[in-house]
Each structure stands twice: as C-alpha cells, then as structure tokens.
Amino acid sequence: MSEPRITEPSWNRFLTERDRQVFAAAGYARRQGFGGRPALLVVDVNYNFCGDRPEPILESVKRWRNSCGAEAWDGVAAIAKLLAAARAKGLPVIYSTGTGREDGWDRKAWGWKSSRTGERPRAGGTNLDGNTIVSEIAPGPRDIVIGKLKPSAFHGTALQSFLTLLGADSLIVAGTTTSGCVRATVVDAFSANYRVSVIEEGCFDRSQASHAISLCDMNAKYADVVKLDEALEFIGTLPAGLFDLPKG
C-alpha cells in the first residue's frame, strides 16, 4: 500500500501556535494504521441529524432541531461510497441510530440540556420517524442496526458482542455528530482496544468549531482521522470473504 497522503489538517485554523507546538513535543497524533479485519460503523445518520433534504442549517433546524444542515448531505454522499466499497469486499456494515419509548421516558436526560427535546418530527411529511436512517444510505439485508439511548454506540448495546462474534479487530467510523456520538463511540472503541479510523469527509456536526476540534482530539489520542480516498484505497487491498456475515 502507498504511503499515507500528507495534507493540512482541517482543524489547524482553530489551533494556536502553542497548541501545535505542544502536540508535536508531546508526541501526539502518531499514525497507528488500519486494522486487518475492519468493520464499518455508521453512527446516527438519520433524519433527525440530516433533516429531510439538503438546505442551510438555520433553515433546517427550524423543523429538525438536531439537523446539521447541508454538510450532512455531503457526509451522506461520502458514506455511500464507503458502503459500496465495504459491501463489495464483504466487510461488516453496522449502523447505530436512536431508539426509545414513544413517551420519551427513557430519553429524559436529553431534555436536561435542550429546550426542544420533546419534538418528534417526521421525515418529509411522511410517517418516517426522525430516527430512521436516511434512505440514500439505508441498511441492506446483511447489515446490522444498533438502537441506542446514549451518545456512544457501545453504551448499553450489543455492539461489542457483535464485533466479537465477527472477529473484527478494528473500526472504520463515519457519521454524526463529530463532537457527540461519533466522538463518544470512538473513545469507547479505543477503550475496548479496537484500532479506529475516522473518515473526515464522512463526519459532520452542527458546529464547525466543535467538528474540527473533535477531529483534532480524536486524531491526537484515540484514532487516525483519514481522508475518504485513503480509506477506499485501503478497503480495496483487503481480500474478499473475511467475515461470516448475517445471511440477510
């Protein structure tokens, strides 16, 4: 495989010169590399976080309080390419999305920090719940979908047991929000000793600064933040048929 491409990190414009010097002196952001048996994990790319169509974020949040606006749909396009590559090689594809009781009792803690938590928007005037994964990257019959109540896709779910069953040693992660559920999931994956690669173009957030700094922090300590093209190139080098996937 060719050497990793060196590009200017997207978060550099948010860092002070002191920050850059400290990271370099302390040895952070060393490249760890991909694992040998990766699963693709798509975190929370649903209508709640994307809205029902591409539009400026301040328009979208009028109807979808958690929307990340037009950037979400750029992320969806990148994730679609990842999904095609992963499925072509027979890699596990795992999605997470929100779940919960209809009365919202089990998600009550989310209301502690948001005045709009009780809203239950439906996608595009249909009866599709906001937790439905957007149709452009809808799960296939052999994919695994994890319902969750908290930011991390690991917390209180069967995700780690499924990764054990699959024999996966690493994760390729995309989704939203970069500063919330993606970051929480990546930290938990690191804590469980998985190598993690985060796809920069496949992650998005409602806050530009939070997105960039969260990528910076993950790249410094818990994961490699990589470009989409590099991930696609890596997946292309893997042999097909590494995994015993669900039959669908």
Side-chain angles (χ1 to χ4, degrees), residues 12 52-53 71 82 94 149 155 157 161 163 169 185 206 210 216-217 220 234-235:
N12 262 10
D52 55 354
R53 60 181 180 268
E71 285 89 346
L82 275 174
I94 304 172
L149 291 167
H155 183 86
T157 76
S161 68
L163 293 172
D169 67 358
T185 297
R206 65 189 65 87
S210 296
C216 177
D217 286 344
F234 164 70
I235 292 171

Side-chain angles (χ1 to χ4, degrees), residues 47 50-56 59-60 63-64 67 69-70 72-73 124-125 134 136:
Y47 290 107
C50 297
D52 55 354
R53 60 181 180 268
E55 60 183 343
E59 290 301 313
S60 192
R63 293 175 295 111
W64 302 88
S67 176
W73 295 92
V134 299
E136 288 79 359

Side-chain angles (χ1 to χ4, degrees), residues 34-205:
F34 297 96
R37 292 177 58 86
L40 173 59
L41 178 59
V42 180
V43 179
D44 293 7
V45 184
N46 56 39
Y47 290 107
N48 278 332
F49 292 105
C50 297
D52 55 354
R53 60 181 180 268
E55 60 183 343
I57 187 168
L58 288 175
E59 290 301 313
S60 192
V61 296
K62 292 176 182 177
R63 293 175 295 111
W64 302 88
R65 67 180 183 85
N66 284 320
S67 176
C68 298
E71 285 89 346
W73 295 92
D74 294 336
V76 168
I79 292 167
K81 295 178 181 178
L82 275 174
L83 288 167
R87 289 173 178 146
K89 289 291 186 175
L91 301 185
V93 174
I94 304 172
Y95 295 79
S96 71
T97 192
T99 189
R101 292 168 54 97
E102 187 63 29
D103 62 11
W105 178 87
D106 51 356
R107 298 183 64 84
K108 189 176 294 185
W110 289 102
W112 297 346
K113 295 296 291 182
S114 173
S115 62
R116 294 178 60 186
T117 298
E119 296 177 13
R120 297 295 178 93
R122 300 286 171 174
T126 73
N127 199 39
L128 287 174
D129 184 84
N131 286 320
T132 303
I133 295 161
V134 299
S135 61
E136 288 79 359
I137 56 163
R142 305 189 74 186
D143 300 338
I144 299 165
V145 179
I146 302 289
K148 66 185 183 70
L149 291 167
K150 298 297 182 182
S152 172
F154 285 90
H155 183 86
T157 76
L159 175 55
Q160 189 164 350
S161 68
F162 289 158
L163 293 172
T164 299
L165 181 63
L166 290 161
D169 67 358
S170 51
L171 289 173
I172 297 171
V173 178
T176 191
T177 61
T178 315
S179 63
C181 298
V182 170
R183 180 171 177 155
T185 297
V186 166
V187 171
D188 278 357
F190 168 85
S191 300
N193 292 319
Y194 293 101
R195 287 180 183 263
V196 183
S197 301
V198 177
I199 309 306
E200 184 171 355
E201 300 95 320
C203 293
F204 50 94
D205 202 305

